[in-house]
Amino acid sequence: MLCHDSLDCCYYGGFTTTLVRNTYSPWSPRGMSVVLLIDGYNVIAPVAAPGRGGTNDWLAIERQRLLDRLVEHLDEIVRLRTTVIFDAKDAPNNLPSRYDYHGIDVQFAVEHTEADDLLERIIGDHPNPKSLTVVSSDHRVQAAARRRRAGAYDSDIWLDRLLDGHTLLQRYPKPKRNATSSPPTQIPSTELPRNTPQSNRERDPIDDEIKNLISDEALDEMIRRHQK
């Protein structure tokens, strides 16, 4: 895994993850503005509400399942600009407050009372909110998104569409063009167009030789005239 200047790679729980040094930013760790902001536990709640898990670590299992689903179904260009926010009160002791998981920026709202506070802050500080999609069924978060004209989707509807192969986005990010790329090289054809004037083509000595040939009929006519 390649690490950005603001990232530190480490190994955790059977997979390589990446620690993010800064604790808050409306930008992804790779310096790109976020296009998809997800209220993590709000998405998990309809799928596995508290008390439904069969083990004590059900929340960690569902949290990891959500991240794996995002990695599986999001295109890379979207995944690298996705941020998932979880409440700090449920933050695991063995994970940092912010880390990179296969390009997804995962944050626990450790410096905020709840995840909604951090979600609102990211929405409010976003440099281009019209390109931002917010996934949360929380009315407070949705209102914050609409105030800045960002897209807002209910968590259950958005997740169902994602699993069906459709990513609901306010605006799909455009790939960066390579400004240094040169236009494709055109290979000249060795065959001349039929309407090319003869003067523009290279003279063929065989053509001159053919022009100098006299037909049999013309030769006979010349002999008859000479005999007269």
Side-chain angles (χ1 to χ4, degrees):
M1 177 183 292
L2 297 177
C3 293
H4 189 268
D5 290 341
S6 63
L7 307 177
D8 288 318
C9 291
C10 68
Y11 189 77
Y12 164 76
F15 59 85
T16 301
T17 187
T18 309
L19 307 183
V20 183
R21 298 191 190 116
N22 50 318
T23 57
Y24 158 75
S25 174
W27 303 82
S28 74
R30 289 167 176 79
M32 298 178 288
S33 61
V34 176
V35 298
L36 181 58
L37 181 62
I38 299 176
D39 187 352
Y41 287 141
N42 190 271
V43 176
I44 290 174
V47 180
R52 293 184 184 178
T55 62
N56 294 331
D57 57 351
W58 69 271
L59 189 58
I61 294 174
E62 293 300 330
R63 183 174 57 239
Q64 188 60 45
R65 180 177 298 173
L66 171 61
L67 296 177
D68 288 338
R69 282 174 166 176
L70 296 176
V71 171
E72 178 182 357
H73 292 281
L74 290 178
D75 292 338
E76 183 181 18
I77 191 173
V78 177
R79 190 174 71 248
L80 295 177
R81 301 175 68 171
T82 296
T83 295
V84 183
I85 304 296
F86 294 108
D87 281 320
K89 63 181 179 181
D90 298 310
N93 296 327
N94 56 352
L95 277 177
S97 60
R98 186 179 183 186
Y99 65 94
D100 179 286
Y101 183 71
H102 293 286
I104 298 175
D105 182 20
V106 183
Q107 299 186 42
F108 292 93
V110 293
E111 298 178 359
H112 300 80
T113 305
E114 54 186 355
D116 292 358
D117 298 330
L118 180 54
L119 288 163
E120 279 191 310
R121 184 176 177 185
I122 293 176
I123 295 170
D125 291 349
H126 198 283
N128 186 18
K130 291 183 180 180
S131 68
L132 176 65
T133 298
V134 180
V135 179
S136 177
S137 298
D138 189 286
H139 292 169
R140 172 186 166 189
V141 176
Q142 289 188 352
R146 293 191 179 104
R147 278 196 301 270
R148 300 215 64 205
R149 298 184 181 181
Y153 293 96
D154 287 334
S155 297
D156 53 346
I157 296 175
W158 188 88
L159 182 61
D160 287 343
R161 293 297 302 275
L162 179 72
L163 299 180
D164 287 340
H166 304 284
T167 305
L168 299 178
L169 289 175
Q170 172 89 337
R171 186 179 300 172
Y172 199 88
K174 296 181 180 180
K176 292 184 178 180
R177 295 181 179 180
N178 186 2
T180 60
S181 60
S182 56
T185 303
Q186 295 183 353
I187 301 176
S189 174
T190 56
E191 193 174 304
L192 289 172
R194 294 182 179 180
N195 59 353
T196 303
Q198 180 67 29
S199 59
N200 293 335
R201 293 186 294 174
E202 183 180 355
R203 293 180 61 86
D204 192 334
I206 296 179
D207 292 341
D208 295 335
E209 187 175 338
I210 292 175
K211 287 182 179 180
N212 294 329
L213 294 178
I214 302 176
S215 65
D216 292 341
E217 292 80 7
L219 181 60
D220 292 341
E221 179 65 21
M222 291 176 64
I223 292 174
R224 283 195 298 270
R225 290 180 181 179
H226 181 71
Q227 290 176 347
K228 290 180 181 180

